[in-house]
Amino acid sequence: MSGAVAILRRLWYRDGSTSSSSSPSSATNSPSDKVFPSLEQRGSVASDHSMSSRTSSPHRLVRALSSKLRPRSRTANGNVEVEAIPRSEAIETLSYRRPKSAHSSLSLNGLVNWGRGPRPITKKPSEAEFGVRSCVSHNDASNGTQLSPNSPLLAAFFPPSPKAPHLAIPNAHSTAQRNLSNETLQLSDAGHLQKQRSHSLPADAVLRTETPLEPTRVHKEISAGAVMVPGAPFSPISPGPTPPPKDHPLPSEDDARPAEPLPNIMEMLSMVEHRLSKLNYGAINIIAQYNGVSPTYSWTPLGWDANRGVPLPAESPKLVHAAFQGMLVEDAPGLERLSELDVESHPSGRLAGTTTVAGLGWERWEVASRGRRQTVYFMQGALPPLSGPELVQKLQNIKRTLEPANAAEEATLLRGIIGQASSTFFDAERPYNSQAADLIRVINREDLFEDFTLADSVYLLAIAPPPTGMGVRLFLLQMLLGYELYLRLKVCDNTSSFPGITQQVNSTLEMAVRWVENVSTEIVDGELKVYSKIHERQADGLIAFAEAMRWPALDEVRRFAKTAYSDHLGGQIVNVHFLDWLYGTFLPGRWFAWKCMSAAIYASPSLRSYGTTPYYDAGLVLDQHSYWRSRTPLAHVLGGLSSANCVAGWVGPCPPIKLVDGRNFTGWIRIKSKPAEFNQVAVPVEEMTEDEHELQDRGLRVRPGETPRGLLNELADMTKWVFPPPVPKSTTKPNLEQVTLDLLPVDDDDDSSSQCANAVLGFNLGNGYRVTYTIVHNPVFVSAAPCTSGPHLAHTRELERYQNVVDVKDLKDDKMTSPGQILLINATGGGDAEVVARAWCSEAGRHAVISRGNTTCLTCSFNTTENMELSVLILS
């Protein structure tokens, strides 16, 4: 019908006075329920007893809608299996079958249609107010790790004993001898200032101590310990180098050897760092903390003041188009847990195939959090009846700002959506916190609502009836609940500590915001019409993606994208993945990247035969170019090419691929690899004293026979801060000759989209010397953050560590460096030298920091590598 983007015929109209006692077969249901079953058929909505009517999963790709796309039976899910579970209420278990290839040793278990283990689904709600289930926070996880101290579960389910009012934070390095993070977490809020200890701060980091220091005293003591010489690379500060008072002499190395009290050490360290903040202004200051699960990293230029209004140097590349903002999650107070949705929902590094300083922390968090179980409370019982028009009207008027004075009124409105609120978790002092907690427990109902991380097409999931989709009424109800939660989280306190924030809650929250912002709806003559507010932006964004990737069918994309939306309004059938792109109904991160490439292929009629892939980590090889997902091993390695871009989660254009027998290869392919381990570079913790630990946490190493006070005295000598010798330019200019694939056998029940291969890169290093590297591991590469006012100084005691340099031509002959040493790879000769260095890291299983050009000086690049506990620095 002209003018209708999606006409969802005969919405459910229900009389609120009678629907509460209706059954799935009640006569009060409209005839449209035969096509789109009512909410009672899916779960406990407006009924005292209901059963799930679905017999198969709605999560399946719908390639059959396009006759030219290859059918894919791989992602079909299994049927319902009923198991006898020893519980008082009847439980129906819905099993999802995962393809066999998802269990292989691939670098990323990036299956689009994620399989799930048996999921308990309430068939007959009990009389209890809520239910309890245990779930794994990340899919395909086998190794459990400790809970985060920021998680409320730490206090809610592991309360301290009456004799211990504090709860110990888990050990950062898993050693029985000593806990590096032995601070305590105060369970009460009564005037306790919790200390957050950094793991690896550089020597020139500005430490903000609790004890304020008089500036004049700092200047006097620093100046007293420093020897002023002509031509020194710094100017004296005011006041001048006058002798300190006799009652405050600067301690010398000849003082008493017993360990000094910690405040004295901290005070001395503050004095040194105060002087260095002026001497090394603009140097990279890496701040590493431990959140109970993994390290987190951030950075600032030394001496930088956020209150001056000067922005930080850009660490990530500028977005090619505004449409690519959909790749990222919203960064706002109250939405901190939304960042857990996907690692790729955070900005990428400024170099293709790399991540940022903070991104390394998320990479380590994903590894550490797999298998971590959490207890989730969810609401049970009937929900108030809401008709289709009521849901549409509420979503049209949902945008507002919640004020503290209107909390009672908002609670009344919320009861009209979710029913009576919970009294068990009510917080009278923070009512919006209680309302948000009630919404979380409702959204966590798996018998009613969907986890959108498991959906191939949200658009199809919304409009299709069960079992293919969830139906429009239930979808709109989930969007309404998600946006109401979004409004409350932005005004709540301590949202990062809310229990029960699962992937289902996060995906609902994100999808609800995108639906409200990107989609408009109206009811005309009893029919729901859905329109896209952003179709022009999305069409232009797809063209920008094709231009950045040097897409071979660029002209086809330009023609198709401009008219696709109007053709759809006119009744022409359009692939649901392309509709997801036009409507913005996709999640950030890997879902965005997968949807963008699917839309580009569909917009290129000459390439539609390639279809889509059921795997997030599959790369696409065409005749002229190849394209690789940004977190896959070939993207990490080939991102070092000067021609490679990283746009919308894809690295390309990369060279075409050949097979080992010399034949050309085209199609979807997954590269086999294994994760590279994160190794600790620091000195074993059991060998250090308490004071040495405090200095180690700030990147300072006490040598054998040296005291912490002696180390600080040496650092206070400003004449020993010099520029490290520059790394000479390499004469090696390698050339990437070819990338070959060795295809692995495919199971009989697998289709071509499940094809995996080993990858080998061949290089010509010049003078007839050729070398090959095999992709074995999937390392993480970090783009060094840009420093300002460089180059910066390093202490003479550290200069010898800058000498461990290896040229790219000698990497094959290089012996593994001893533990604790940082390897500097000289890839400054140009050509594909950086690609050689990255390929060696993949073969050897080494993560690395990459510093390209003069954006980051040698000192800051080295300190970044060390303080992020990595062992390789690539200079290109």
Side-chain angles (χ1 to χ4, degrees):
M1 180 177 293
S2 177
V5 175
I7 301 180
L8 310 176
R9 298 180 179 277
R10 302 185 186 89
L11 285 172
W12 304 279
Y13 291 89
R14 186 178 308 282
D15 184 0
S17 61
T18 61
S19 57
S20 61
S21 60
S22 62
S23 64
S25 59
S26 174
T28 59
N29 293 346
S30 72
S32 63
D33 289 341
K34 298 178 182 179
V35 180
F36 296 102
S38 64
L39 300 186
E40 287 99 338
Q41 292 177 266
R42 185 170 174 90
S44 306
V45 176
S47 64
D48 297 328
H49 174 71
S50 60
M51 300 176 61
S52 174
S53 63
R54 292 186 299 168
T55 58
S56 64
S57 167
H59 313 298
R60 60 180 56 171
L61 284 172
V62 288
R63 202 178 310 174
L65 294 181
S66 176
S67 58
K68 294 185 179 181
L69 299 183
R70 272 191 311 240
R72 191 180 69 235
S73 59
R74 280 289 302 159
T75 59
N77 294 305
N79 296 325
V80 175
E81 298 178 1
V82 180
E83 301 177 0
I85 300 179
R87 293 188 60 178
S88 58
E89 61 267 35
I91 295 293
E92 182 180 35
T93 301
L94 188 61
S95 297
Y96 292 78
R97 180 170 63 86
R98 175 181 302 164
K100 297 178 182 178
S101 59
H103 298 282
S104 64
S105 58
L106 295 170
S107 59
L108 296 174
N109 291 321
L111 186 63
V112 170
N113 193 3
W114 266 114
R116 298 190 265 193
R119 300 170 59 197
I121 298 181
T122 304
K123 184 176 180 181
K124 181 178 180 180
S126 65
E127 297 297 329
E129 184 180 22
F130 52 83
V132 182
R133 72 170 183 269
S134 179
C135 68
V136 180
S137 59
H138 280 264
N139 294 320
D140 234 12
S142 56
N143 300 323
T145 57
Q146 296 167 330
L147 294 175
S148 166
N150 294 329
S151 170
L153 301 180
L154 198 63
F157 300 107
F158 300 93
S161 63
K163 296 182 180 180
H166 297 80
L167 191 62
I169 294 178
N171 188 352
H173 293 274
S174 301
T175 56
Q177 290 82 358
R178 186 185 187 276
N179 187 349
L180 265 182
S181 297
N182 61 353
E183 306 95 32
T184 56
L185 182 65
Q186 184 74 37
L187 299 183
S188 64
D189 297 332
H192 176 73
L193 179 60
Q194 179 184 345
K195 293 182 180 180
Q196 295 292 340
R197 177 179 300 177
S198 298
H199 273 261
S200 344
L201 287 180
D204 53 1
V206 178
L207 177 67
R208 302 187 183 278
T209 60
E210 296 181 11
T211 305
L213 301 175
E214 298 180 2
T216 55
R217 180 180 175 188
V218 173
H219 297 328
K220 290 179 179 179
E221 298 204 17
I222 290 295
S223 300
V227 179
M228 303 297 296
V229 296
F234 64 95
S235 58
I237 56 178
S238 178
T242 57
K246 295 182 178 181
D247 55 341
H248 292 287
L250 185 67
S252 65
E253 194 170 358
D254 298 328
D255 288 345
R257 291 291 179 178
E260 302 85 351
L262 184 60
N264 293 340
I265 291 292
M266 303 299 288
E267 187 172 335
M268 292 182 61
L269 184 59
S270 299
M271 297 175 184
V272 174
E273 291 175 339
H274 178 80
R275 182 64 181 92
L276 289 177
S277 65
K278 300 180 179 295
L279 187 66
N280 255 358
Y281 176 82
I284 297 300
N285 174 25
I286 299 293
I287 304 170
Q289 295 179 328
Y290 184 71
N291 63 7
V293 177
S294 63
T296 62
Y297 304 100
S298 59
W299 69 279
T300 58
L302 193 63
W304 178 77
D305 187 358
N307 296 325
R308 294 180 179 177
V310 180
L312 279 173
E315 186 184 8
S316 299
K318 185 179 179 181
L319 293 178
V320 176
H321 192 274
F324 302 142
Q325 187 64 38
M327 182 82 179
L328 310 176
V329 295
E330 182 178 352
D331 184 13
L335 304 178
E336 294 82 3
R337 296 288 297 276
L338 195 59
S339 300
E340 300 175 4
L341 191 59
D342 186 51
V343 171
E344 289 187 77
S345 63
H346 305 89
S348 61
R350 59 185 178 87
L351 306 179
T354 66
T355 186
T356 60
V357 170
L360 178 65
W362 284 109
E363 293 281 354
R364 301 192 65 167
W365 173 85
E366 184 184 58
V367 174
S369 61
R370 286 176 179 170
R372 186 164 53 96
R373 305 191 69 86
Q374 59 177 321
T375 301
V376 178
Y377 289 92
F378 58 93
M379 301 289 289
Q380 293 187 141
L383 297 180
L386 290 173
S387 66
E390 290 176 321
L391 292 171
V392 171
Q393 183 179 10
K394 286 181 179 294
L395 284 170
Q396 288 175 344
N397 303 319
I398 198 171
K399 287 188 177 182
R400 64 191 188 277
T401 301
L402 302 186
E403 300 293 343
N406 300 333
E409 180 182 351
E410 293 291 344
T412 302
L413 295 176
L414 188 60
R415 282 196 295 271
I417 303 174
I418 66 173
Q420 183 61 39
S422 170
S423 59
T424 306
F425 301 96
F426 181 71
D427 187 346
E429 297 182 357
R430 295 177 294 183
Y432 283 128
N433 285 42
S434 299
Q435 295 175 27
D438 289 333
L439 285 166
I440 290 174
R441 286 188 288 275
V442 173
I443 295 173
N444 268 322
R445 292 186 62 165
E446 291 184 329
D447 60 331
L448 289 178
F449 304 119
E450 290 295 337
D451 182 351
F452 294 114
T453 64
L454 309 177
D456 300 329
S457 170
V458 175
Y459 184 87
L460 178 71
L461 194 65
I463 67 174
T468 303
M470 58 189 300
V472 64
R473 278 190 64 200
L474 191 54
F475 176 80
L476 293 180
L477 177 59
Q478 189 168 354
M479 296 299 95
L480 178 63
L481 295 173
Y483 203 88
E484 291 289 348
L485 176 61
Y486 168 79
L487 294 175
R488 283 158 178 80
L489 288 180
K490 298 189 74 172
V491 297
C492 285
D493 299 327
N494 302 322
T495 56
S496 60
S497 63
F498 275 19
I501 297 185
T502 60
Q503 288 292 78
Q504 181 161 316
V505 171
N506 275 332
S507 62
T508 301
L509 186 66
E510 184 65 32
M511 188 54 61
V513 175
R514 294 176 181 236
W515 181 267
V516 172
E517 296 293 337
N518 302 340
V519 178
S520 64
T521 58
E522 64 175 346
I523 299 177
V524 179
D525 298 330
E527 296 175 344
L528 179 67
K529 297 183 180 181
V530 185
Y531 301 92
S532 172
K533 302 177 184 177
I534 60 171
H535 62 92
E536 293 182 353
R537 187 193 73 181
Q538 294 300 105
D540 292 339
L542 188 63
I543 296 174
F545 172 78
E547 291 174 344
M549 294 287 106
R550 299 179 191 171
W551 193 250
L554 176 59
D555 293 336
E556 296 181 25
V557 174
R558 286 172 175 162
R559 289 193 299 267
F560 184 88
K562 290 296 185 181
T563 61
Y565 184 72
S566 58
D567 293 342
H568 174 57
L569 292 179
Q572 181 175 329
I573 296 178
V574 179
N575 180 268
V576 292
H577 300 306
F578 196 84
L579 292 180
D580 275 325
W581 177 258
L582 290 178
Y583 283 79
T585 52
F586 44 72
L587 292 174
R590 62 177 181 265
W591 299 278
F592 179 95
W594 183 79
K595 198 66 68 175
C596 183
M597 181 58 76
S598 299
I601 293 175
Y602 186 77
S604 309
S606 63
L607 301 177
R608 287 184 185 176
S609 59
Y610 291 102
T612 56
T613 174
Y615 299 97
Y616 289 117
D617 60 349
L620 178 62
V621 181
L622 303 178
D623 292 328
Q624 302 175 13
H625 305 294
S626 61
Y627 306 93
W628 305 97
R629 289 285 289 107
S630 59
R631 292 186 67 211
T632 56
L634 271 184
H636 287 156
V637 174
L638 297 180
L641 294 170
S642 58
S643 60
N645 299 316
C646 184
V647 180
W650 290 89
V651 172
C654 298
I657 306 297
K658 291 183 177 294
L659 300 179
V660 291
D661 57 7
R663 293 181 294 125
N664 293 330
F665 175 84
T666 59
W668 294 99
I669 190 69
R670 303 162 71 200
I671 304 303
K672 184 178 180 180
S673 66
K674 56 185 177 181
E677 298 293 334
F678 287 100
N679 298 320
Q680 299 290 343
V681 182
V683 180
V685 295
E686 61 270 13
E687 300 178 2
M688 293 187 289
T689 65
E690 183 68 24
D691 288 342
E692 290 172 346
H693 277 294
E694 294 299 329
L695 298 179
Q696 171 69 29
D697 288 348
R698 288 155 180 83
L700 302 176
R701 289 163 303 281
V702 181
R703 295 174 176 174
E706 185 179 38
T707 65
R709 188 178 294 276
L711 168 61
L712 292 179
N713 280 333
E714 184 175 2
L715 296 179
D717 187 353
M718 296 298 139
T719 62
K720 294 184 178 181
W721 290 89
V722 297
F723 295 104
V727 176
K729 184 178 178 61
S730 173
T731 58
T732 305
K733 190 176 182 179
N735 177 47
L736 175 64
E737 293 186 323
Q738 62 180 358
V739 181
T740 58
L741 299 180
D742 183 11
L743 301 181
L744 300 177
V746 180
D747 295 339
D748 295 336
D749 58 344
D750 288 341
D751 62 11
S752 58
S753 64
S754 301
Q755 182 70 62
C756 301
N758 292 318
V760 179
L761 283 74
F763 297 92
N764 184 354
L765 302 183
N767 298 325
Y769 180 43
R770 286 175 168 80
V771 66
T772 60
Y773 288 97
T774 302
I775 300 298
V776 179
H777 301 86
N778 188 21
V780 177
F781 297 121
V782 181
S783 293
C787 62
T788 59
S789 304
H792 297 97
L793 306 176
H795 200 275
T796 53
R797 60 185 278 133
E798 302 293 327
L799 294 184
E800 61 179 349
R801 306 178 66 227
Y802 287 78
Q803 305 302 317
N804 190 25
V805 182
V806 176
D807 193 88
V808 289
K809 71 176 185 299
D810 302 321
L811 285 173
K812 274 292 186 179
D813 302 328
D814 176 60
K815 304 296 182 182
M816 296 296 289
T817 56
S818 58
Q821 289 188 346
I822 295 179
L823 175 66
L824 282 73
I825 299 179
N826 188 349
T828 58
D832 299 327
E834 184 180 315
V835 183
V836 176
R838 295 192 187 198
W840 176 86
C841 290
S842 176
E843 186 174 83
R846 306 285 287 273
H847 306 287
V849 171
I850 301 178
S851 177
R852 183 186 296 179
N854 299 322
T855 305
T856 310
C857 71
L858 178 60
T859 302
C860 291
S861 300
F862 188 91
N863 288 340
T864 297
T865 306
E866 180 180 44
N867 295 324
M868 298 183 71
E869 299 181 300
L870 302 181
S871 57
V872 177
L873 170 60
I874 300 175
L875 302 173
S876 66

